[in-house]
Amino acid sequence: MAYSRPEVDQFLDKARTERDYLKRMEMYRKIEEMILDDAPIVPMINHLFQMAYQPYVRGVEINALGGPIFR
């Protein structure tokens, strides 16, 4: 994506070396907030699909993600 922000890079360098867990988590929250404010991407995923089978097709099961399983 070629996302670049020097402030984020600096915070990441500091967070990687922070020994205090709570301080480090707070730093990562701040970094995440900075990145989300820039909104380099907006993930939009839609895995909706329809399938139709002839009445004579037997043994087709549907997995948890909605895909067919042919045994």
Side-chain angles (χ1 to χ4, degrees), residues 9-71:
D9 294 338
Q10 290 172 354
F11 275 109
L12 282 170
D13 289 340
K14 290 179 185 177
R16 285 186 192 109
T17 59
E18 178 58 56
R19 292 184 160 283
D20 184 292
Y21 176 79
L22 295 176
K23 286 181 184 178
R24 188 170 62 248
M25 288 301 104
E26 185 58 37
M27 293 171 86
Y28 281 128
R29 283 189 195 97
K30 175 69 174 168
I31 292 165
E32 184 178 51
E33 190 176 300
M34 292 168 70
I35 293 170
L36 289 174
D37 285 345
D38 290 343
I41 63 168
V42 177
M44 297 181 74
I45 299 171
N46 185 352
H47 292 290
L48 179 64
F49 54 89
Q50 301 291 322
M51 293 191 172
Y53 301 97
Q54 293 290 343
Y56 56 81
V57 176
R58 302 277 188 244
V60 179
E61 297 177 25
I62 306 299
N63 68 22
L65 299 175
I69 300 171
F70 299 97
R71 298 203 188 260

